[in-house]
Amino acid sequence: MPKHSKRVTLEDVARAVGVSTITVSRALRRPEMVSEGLRTRITTAVAELGYVPDPSARALASRRSNVIGVLIPSVTNNVFADVLSGLYDTVTGTPYYVQLANTRYIPSVEEDLIRIFLSQRPAGLIVAGIDQSTASRALLEQADCPVVQIMDVSDTPVDMIVGFSHRDAARAATEHLFARGYKAPAFIGARMDPRSERRLAGFSDAIKAAGPNGTLRKITTAEPSSTHLGSELFDKLMELEPETDAIFCNNDDLALGAQFAAQRRGLTIGRDIGICGFNDLEVMGAAYPSITSIRTFRREMGELAARKILARLTEEDAGEPIIDLKWQLCARDSTDRS
């Protein structure tokens, strides 16, 4: 009896080329979505290995649910509420609906939730951040559905990504403080998840660029952010670094709390102490004095992530895989020294 060889699989082709199975699948189904060089390598591997697509397996793979899974680290943070608002509005009226999961900033929980979602054969996945564990990233790369990472940018997304550079935005905020005449800015941060760490890195970049004698003044905590915590951290900072004349906070809750604490000390906001937040929630413009902040386009992020998933599901052009939405510095009274 002849010895039958093992059937060549999509995974075998991916392994030979050194890419993920979803990349090989994409190259075979929609070759225009990959570079010419990669397309040639995949085509060559297919020919050399004798790979033949399995119609029955393809039919089974197409039997996805109508669920778009969304993994975010917090359900109480207003930042994610805006993202979800854009996402839900975009999906409404389509055959798909959103299923939400909260990772609580815990990598192992995120990995478990990704496994659960994939076992349910989702139509697509939207995942906050780019700092997945090795296991989580491998799961996402092997997912047989469109995947969009949000809230950050990277040159090496799992599949598609919509976000902005936290480091660049924080550097611009700190440069703004120097430009307004402040000499000794400090950083206040809470929770310090990877995105907050990148904001701290951007702050540090600006301090180093300001001159060789720049001092990195900062106070951070792993505690969850709140307005009350912002007040506490401001008071501690002023005890440790009394020469501080401006602060960059890694979110708006902290900035608002810091402003309250500064006012209780009798400091004139803007003249005696400059304050800058991050995300530009509505309260920043409504506060008195109004507070400078980095505006991030969160609703648009949710809308674009959903559109990319829907476009891929309907075999339409999903556009560029990497979308950098940038950010906007909204200068207000809290950094006005006039």
Side-chain angles (χ1 to χ4, degrees):
M1 295 290 291
K3 183 177 181 179
H4 295 285
S5 61
K6 179 177 178 289
R7 181 185 180 89
V8 177
T9 67
L10 198 68
E11 288 78 7
D12 295 326
V13 177
R15 193 177 304 111
V17 180
V19 297
S20 66
T21 55
I22 194 170
T23 298
V24 174
S25 176
R26 187 181 305 131
L28 297 178
R29 291 185 294 105
R30 302 186 65 188
E32 74 279 2
M33 294 189 65
V34 300
S35 66
E36 182 177 353
L38 180 56
R39 188 164 62 243
T40 299
R41 288 165 53 201
I42 290 175
T43 302
T44 300
V46 166
E48 291 178 349
L49 294 174
Y51 171 70
V52 178
D54 184 349
S56 60
R58 179 177 296 177
L60 180 62
S62 67
R63 294 174 190 163
R64 297 175 177 146
S65 70
N66 60 345
V67 169
I68 296 176
V70 180
L71 290 88
I72 59 174
S74 172
V75 294
T76 59
N77 191 323
N78 286 333
V79 170
F80 295 104
D82 292 337
V83 173
L84 292 174
S85 177
L87 199 162
Y88 276 108
D89 285 351
T90 304
V91 172
T92 299
T94 73
Y96 303 96
Y97 64 92
V98 174
Q99 185 171 329
L100 187 63
N102 181 10
T103 68
R104 293 177 291 146
Y105 294 95
I106 303 174
S108 60
V109 171
E110 181 178 61
E111 181 182 333
D112 290 342
L113 289 170
I114 291 172
R115 291 183 186 278
I116 291 171
F117 269 127
L118 292 179
S119 71
Q120 298 170 354
R121 306 193 66 82
L125 285 177
I126 297 175
V127 186
I130 58 175
D131 300 284
Q132 286 77 33
S133 67
T134 300
S136 290
R137 184 175 178 97
L139 288 169
L140 293 173
E141 288 177 341
Q142 296 166 16
D144 188 30
C145 67
V147 177
V148 181
Q149 293 163 288
I150 59 172
M151 304 302 295
D152 218 319
V153 289
S154 168
D155 293 332
T156 56
V158 168
D159 183 8
M160 300 176 284
I161 193 166
V162 181
F164 66 97
S165 171
H166 294 257
R167 187 167 187 161
D168 289 350
R171 182 168 58 245
T174 312
E175 290 171 348
H176 167 74
L177 295 176
F178 281 121
R180 287 297 175 94
Y182 300 102
K183 305 297 184 183
F187 178 90
I188 291 180
R191 191 179 289 279
M192 301 310 294
D193 60 89
R195 286 179 290 281
S196 294
E197 292 288 355
R198 281 188 272 278
R199 294 172 196 174
L200 175 56
F203 174 82
S204 301
D205 291 342
I207 296 297
K208 293 175 183 176
N213 298 321
T215 299
L216 183 60
R217 301 173 180 85
K218 66 173 182 174
I219 184 166
T220 64
T221 178
E223 293 181 47
S225 181
S226 69
T227 301
H228 179 72
L229 182 61
S231 291
E232 287 186 351
L233 292 178
F234 179 85
D235 287 334
K236 289 180 181 178
L237 175 69
M238 298 308 289
E239 292 173 7
L240 296 171
E241 305 284 354
E243 71 281 6
T244 297
D245 62 358
I247 55 170
F248 169 57
C249 301
N250 81 321
N251 63 48
D252 291 338
D253 291 342
L254 297 177
L256 186 61
Q259 177 153 300
F260 289 155
Q263 290 170 325
R264 284 194 293 269
R265 286 172 172 258
L267 299 175
T268 299
I269 306 301
R271 186 190 67 194
D272 299 331
I273 187 78
I275 300 176
C276 181
F278 200 102
N279 283 314
D280 197 38
L281 300 178
E282 184 180 6
V283 68
M284 294 294 97
Y288 184 79
S290 59
I291 303 176
T292 295
S293 188
I294 293 289
R295 177 173 296 168
T296 58
F297 302 102
R298 302 175 299 278
R299 181 181 176 82
E300 293 85 344
M301 205 177 301
E303 291 175 350
L304 279 172
R307 287 176 188 168
K308 283 186 170 296
I309 294 283
L310 295 174
R312 189 73 69 75
L313 292 173
T314 55
E315 298 293 322
E316 297 176 7
D317 183 7
E320 293 294 325
I322 301 173
I323 301 295
D324 186 349
L325 289 177
K326 305 296 184 182
W327 38 265
Q328 179 184 356
L329 175 66
C330 298
R332 299 191 178 96
D333 295 339
S334 68
T335 55
D336 186 355
R337 304 200 86 177
S338 60

